[in-house]
Amino acid sequence: MSGMENMEFIVPLEKWYLENKRDLPWRNTTDPYVIWISEVILQQTRVIQGLDYFNRFMTRFPDVASLAEAEEDEVLKYWQGLGYYSRARNLHTAARQIMDDFGGLFPKNYRDVLSLKGIGEYTAAAICSFAYRQPYAVVDGNVYRVLARLFDIDVPIDSTPGKKLFVKLASDLLDKKRPDVYNQAIMELGALQCVPRSPHCELCPLSDKCLSLISGRVEKLPVKQGKTVVKPRFFNYLCISYQGDTWIRQRKGKDIWENLYEFVLIETDKEYSFEELQHTEEYCRIFNGLGKVKVTALPLQKRHVLSHRIINAYFYSIEIESVPEGLSGYIRIPYTELENYAVSRLTHIYLEQRK
Ligand code: SF4
């Protein structure tokens, strides 16, 4: 596409943006740290919800140094409820990388930015274009949708050829003189105007150039190849109480909710009743020799959908009269101190409902 043709898109798009953009705190800055944090919080989070988290996070961790110096537990605590905790862990690791490898200064070079833990091409392009006005096109879900519709492209956006094609198209279209404004504009168009269902084409600044509007395929685009298989998992949580205390542990290993805290857990391969659970090897190991335990409340059952997993969780409130040996892998804490530990969103919901 030639520069001249580009201007036909760029001029109305940027004009629309400057007149219609939402006034968000991270838009009024060129500080790469602020832009980075906002981008990561906004991945998979709605702006309204993200705004609260962003403000709290920035108050506690106003710069790279304060984030790098913090304990990971505290960073996770500030993330609690947002989900996708690996993002918070990566932020923390990357902050330390900036301190160690870049003398505490946020890197300026695209490749260096990309080398930071958790920063992919999208975030690197966002930081480099918004903070330094470097000519890198951002390609997020909104941009895929706008481009697929504008150019009436039905190549699946989640396929390798699709990704290549859209990244190339986005770079060709980019306003090299004002990449910051252009990138924000195309994403904002996707967020406000060219929304997934019933886009507001009649108000769109690009409607006279939109090929899918002519072909009548607006609602059919973009095309996605296939859905990932969703695997169910079954978590049986034993919320044990004994003299005002309970037992928790930190999750380890490469699994969901890494480093977050949880109640005593027995994972099963299918749904188990409490009766059946009592016959599992794990249960017998934990409560070895303790005889009968008292289940004081009906189990609270929760279904939690993560990107490629469904967690079926059952929370049992259990009272015991002496401490079984099988709890040695867990830490004993007063129930009232639970709120000092970062827990998954699922457990957080359970605790809120118990109040
Ligand atoms: S005319 Fe409609 S489909 Fe085309 S870019 Fe604008 S909002 Fe999207």
Side-chain angles (χ1 to χ4, degrees), residues 206-217:
L206 303 177
S207 59
D208 59 337
K209 298 167 194 67
C210 180
L211 298 183
S212 70
L213 199 57
I214 299 168
S215 73
R217 299 204 302 169

Side-chain angles (χ1 to χ4, degrees), residues 27-99:
R27 287 206 168 134
N28 305 320
T29 179
T30 52
D31 180 340
Y33 176 75
V34 180
I35 292 163
W36 175 43
I37 302 296
S38 69
E39 283 302 326
V40 176
I41 288 181
L42 288 185
Q43 285 161 23
Q44 283 139 340
T45 306
R46 281 173 302 124
V47 169
I48 299 290
Q49 192 202 3
L51 203 55
D52 270 359
Y53 278 90
F54 172 78
N55 289 332
R56 260 182 284 144
F57 200 89
M58 290 310 297
T59 307
R60 170 60 188 89
F61 310 110
D63 48 30
V64 175
S66 53
L67 180 57
E69 280 160 18
E71 293 293 327
E72 186 183 271
D73 268 5
E74 195 191 358
V75 180
L76 291 177
K77 194 71 200 156
Y78 272 80
W79 208 262
Q80 186 161 303
L82 265 177
Y84 301 96
Y85 289 86
S86 55
R87 293 183 299 172
R89 273 190 293 272
N90 289 343
L91 275 182
H92 189 231
T93 309
R96 293 188 167 178
Q97 247 179 302
I98 296 173
M99 297 309 287

Side-chain angles (χ1 to χ4, degrees), residues 117-319:
K117 181 88 174 158
I119 295 197
E121 284 170 6
Y122 163 77
T123 312
I127 293 171
C128 289
S129 65
F130 303 159
Y132 311 129
R133 288 189 151 193
Q134 292 173 7
Y136 291 97
V138 295
V139 192
D140 72 344
N142 285 325
V143 176
Y144 274 117
R145 188 168 58 254
V146 172
L147 294 181
R149 287 174 174 172
L150 263 181
F151 296 96
D152 197 26
I153 302 171
D154 58 8
V155 180
I157 56 171
D158 54 349
S159 66
T160 311
K163 278 188 185 139
K164 258 193 171 162
L165 186 123
F166 283 101
V167 167
K168 165 106 179 47
L169 188 55
S171 308
D172 288 349
L173 268 179
L174 180 70
D175 178 356
K176 311 274 186 311
K177 288 204 185 87
R178 300 204 293 175
D180 49 342
V181 178
Y182 172 85
N183 276 336
Q184 298 270 16
I186 192 159
M187 287 200 288
E188 193 77 334
L189 188 80
L192 298 182
Q193 194 99 31
C194 194
V195 290
R197 279 186 220 308
S198 315
H200 318 298
C201 301
E202 65 291 350
L203 300 170
C204 179
L206 303 177
S207 59
D208 59 337
K209 298 167 194 67
C210 180
L211 298 183
S212 70
L213 199 57
I214 299 168
S215 73
R217 299 204 302 169
V218 170
E219 294 265 6
K220 293 202 172 70
L221 296 172
V223 172
K224 273 202 181 169
Q225 205 167 36
K227 303 218 179 313
T228 33
V229 188
V230 179
K231 269 206 285 174
R233 291 176 73 175
F234 299 87
F235 286 11
N236 305 278
Y237 279 121
L238 310 177
C239 315
I240 299 175
S241 54
Y242 175 70
Q243 297 179 345
D245 290 348
T246 190
W247 279 259
I248 57 171
R249 74 171 172 196
Q250 199 173 23
R251 286 181 71 85
K252 293 286 176 201
K254 289 271 160 256
D255 195 4
I256 52 161
W257 304 329
E258 192 187 341
N259 294 354
L260 299 184
Y261 288 83
E262 66 183 357
F263 288 110
V264 176
L265 169 68
I266 300 177
E267 183 170 357
T268 48
D269 56 356
K270 55 182 171 38
E271 186 172 339
Y272 276 46
S273 66
F274 191 67
E275 195 60 37
E276 289 168 320
L277 199 65
Q278 284 176 299
H279 291 109
T280 60
E281 226 177 88
E282 187 65 4
Y283 184 95
C284 296
R285 193 190 59 74
I286 294 170
F287 292 109
N288 185 21
L290 206 64
K292 258 198 167 335
V293 299
K294 194 167 150 207
V295 182
T296 52
L298 284 176
L300 186 93
Q301 186 179 344
K302 287 261 156 235
R303 204 161 169 274
H304 191 60
V305 182
L306 297 167
S307 50
H308 51 289
R309 283 200 190 86
I310 295 177
I311 309 290
N312 297 283
Y314 310 88
F315 290 87
Y316 296 95
S317 302
I318 290 180
E319 274 180 19

Side-chain angles (χ1 to χ4, degrees), residues 4-28:
M4 216 34 219
E5 282 171 70
N6 275 3
M7 293 319 281
E8 287 177 21
F9 290 96
I10 291 171
V11 173
L13 179 62
E14 291 182 359
K15 181 170 180 287
W16 170 86
Y17 172 69
L18 295 171
E19 284 164 7
N20 293 282
K21 67 175 179 171
R22 291 166 293 177
D23 187 21
L24 301 170
W26 48 84
R27 287 206 168 134
N28 305 320

